[in-house]
Amino acid sequence: MWMRGGTSKGGYFLKEDLPADPAARDAFLLRALGSPDPRQIDGMGGADPLTSKVAVVSRSERPGIDIDYLFLQIFVDQPIVTDAQNCGNILAGIGPFAIERGLVAAKEGETRVVIHMENTDQVAVATVRTPAGKVQYEGDATISGVPGAAAPIPLAFRDTAGSSCGALLPTGNGVDEINGIQVTMIDNGMPCVVIAAADVGITGYEDRATLDADTAMKQRVEAIRLKAGLRMNLGDVTEKSVPKMMLVAAPRDGGAIAVRSLIPHRVHASIGVLGAVSVATACLVKGSPAAAVAVVSNGTRKILGVEHPTGITECVVAVDAFDMPVEAGMLRTARKLMDGLIFA
């Protein structure tokens, strides 16, 4: 099934339908998406990292869990398939897909689907509208980066802190210095390095094309990323898609913070779900580049709008008495695009 999940889209496969051997599975998926090729002309990929994604789904045997979900990023112009990260956008389609495929029984009104994300061993709960026991895709919820409206799919994340790096702040510090620049290395569902946009020579409000053409800035950011990967317990990240690089500035459209996200070698058209959660959390880290410019609401449940090139992603971060995050959530939508056979 091909689906849009959040601001991404890709193929959703039952695990049992793919080769059991990872190497054979990856070879099949590269062929199916048309990689490596900048246009992905001989496959289903859309010539962009945001449309070259795969979800592998199966019924879970874990107590209290409905579905196991493995996310695979298919590189566009390289023969690489990686499971080094989650994708919270593709996650938005997992609940509807599981119900459509009969892995989870639909309930009247709405159905909660508890999802184990295999990439980082964390859990999300998706709430899917199911009137008359069928998935409803039509609705009035809108998200930045997607035209029109669709049924809302609230996502609540459990135990996201340190899911890839072992701790919310992998180095134990709210702020570190790399190559003479202050950074916050953080993992609240997605390993990210947060940097003040001005420190790498940009405003933080440029469009995607302008930043993608700024090779000097991208080289400077990549040099920081390679060193940060080692400090974040991610090892050599030369060929990994994490950590994401987040260049932040003061908000100017009513949100909490503005960000331009490198994923990591191209500029994101918007921002990934879990990347937004990590950036929103960085706004609460005292002394961080994000906290220095963020506008943060009061209370123990903070609504933090993360501004990006195509709009605002609303994050909700619940904090304890010490302003440390205890739960993070987000609103997404999804739509079924195609259901059939793929030849590879």
Side-chain angles (χ1 to χ4, degrees), residues 323-340:
D323 267 353
M324 293 301 293
V326 292
E327 184 180 88
M330 188 159 298
L331 178 70
R332 296 280 86 184
T333 67
R335 188 166 78 90
K336 179 170 65 172
L337 304 176
M338 184 277 294
D339 193 358

Side-chain angles (χ1 to χ4, degrees), residues 128-172:
V128 182
R129 286 188 178 177
T130 50
K134 294 184 178 181
V135 175
Q136 176 181 320
Y137 294 101
E138 297 76 20
D140 56 7
T142 60
I143 60 174
S144 296
V146 177
I153 301 177
L155 298 172
F157 302 111
R158 298 178 183 171
D159 302 321
T160 52
S163 57
S164 293
C165 301
L168 177 68
L169 300 172
T171 68

Side-chain angles (χ1 to χ4, degrees), residues 257-277:
I257 194 166
V259 64
R260 295 298 183 263
S261 172
L262 277 76
I263 54 172
H265 304 125
R266 295 183 66 180
V267 177
H268 202 302
S270 54
I271 190 171
V273 170
L274 295 168
V277 169

Side-chain angles (χ1 to χ4, degrees), residues 42-318:
D42 198 35
M44 292 288 290
D48 189 289
L50 302 183
T51 58
S52 187
K53 300 185 173 188
V54 163
V56 182
V57 182
S58 59
R59 184 180 282 111
S60 182
E61 297 181 357
R62 295 174 170 84
I65 304 294
D66 297 314
I67 295 298
D68 290 337
Y69 152 53
L70 176 68
F71 170 70
L72 298 174
Q73 178 71 58
I74 316 300
F75 279 47
V76 173
D77 55 0
Q78 299 180 65
I80 296 174
V81 178
T82 178
D83 63 359
Q85 67 179 74
N86 274 332
C87 180
N89 277 303
I90 291 296
L91 170 68
I94 298 298
F97 176 77
I99 296 168
E100 294 254 23
R101 285 288 187 262
L103 302 181
V104 174
K107 297 180 179 179
E108 174 57 41
E110 64 180 31
T111 303
R112 286 166 56 87
V113 181
V114 183
I115 303 161
H116 174 254
M117 294 180 280
E118 296 187 39
N119 303 73
T120 52
D121 195 31
Q122 64 189 111
V123 175
V125 181
T127 302
V128 182
R129 286 188 178 177
T130 50
K134 294 184 178 181
V135 175
Q136 176 181 320
Y137 294 101
E138 297 76 20
D140 56 7
T142 60
I143 60 174
S144 296
V146 177
I153 301 177
L155 298 172
F157 302 111
R158 298 178 183 171
D159 302 321
T160 52
S163 57
S164 293
C165 301
L168 177 68
L169 300 172
T171 68
N173 303 320
V175 182
D176 290 279
E177 186 173 298
I178 299 179
N179 293 353
I181 292 177
Q182 287 194 329
V183 306
T184 293
M185 292 173 273
I186 190 166
D187 174 18
N188 199 12
M190 177 66 69
C192 294
V193 181
V194 180
I195 306 171
D199 285 348
V200 292
I202 67 169
T203 66
Y205 309 117
E206 292 86 350
D207 61 30
R208 184 189 193 189
T210 298
L211 292 181
D212 261 334
D214 190 343
T215 55
M217 178 275 292
K218 291 168 73 174
Q219 288 171 359
R220 191 175 185 186
V221 170
E222 178 66 3
I224 294 172
R225 190 182 80 90
L226 295 178
K227 291 183 178 180
L230 295 173
R231 298 193 192 184
M232 297 176 74
N233 305 314
L234 296 170
D236 181 359
V237 298
T238 304
E239 294 189 356
K240 293 182 180 179
S241 54
V242 289
K244 308 299 188 188
M245 307 302 287
M246 303 294 181
L247 312 181
V248 299
R252 63 177 188 179
D253 294 317
I257 194 166
V259 64
R260 295 298 183 263
S261 172
L262 277 76
I263 54 172
H265 304 125
R266 295 183 66 180
V267 177
H268 202 302
S270 54
I271 190 171
V273 170
L274 295 168
V277 169
S278 289
V279 170
T281 307
C283 294
L284 309 178
V285 177
K286 293 180 180 180
S288 74
V293 296
V295 176
V296 179
S297 60
N298 295 320
T300 57
R301 186 169 293 274
K302 301 178 186 295
I303 299 176
L304 302 166
V306 179
E307 301 176 5
H308 51 76
T310 56
I312 300 177
T313 296
E314 297 286 354
C315 301
V316 181
V317 182

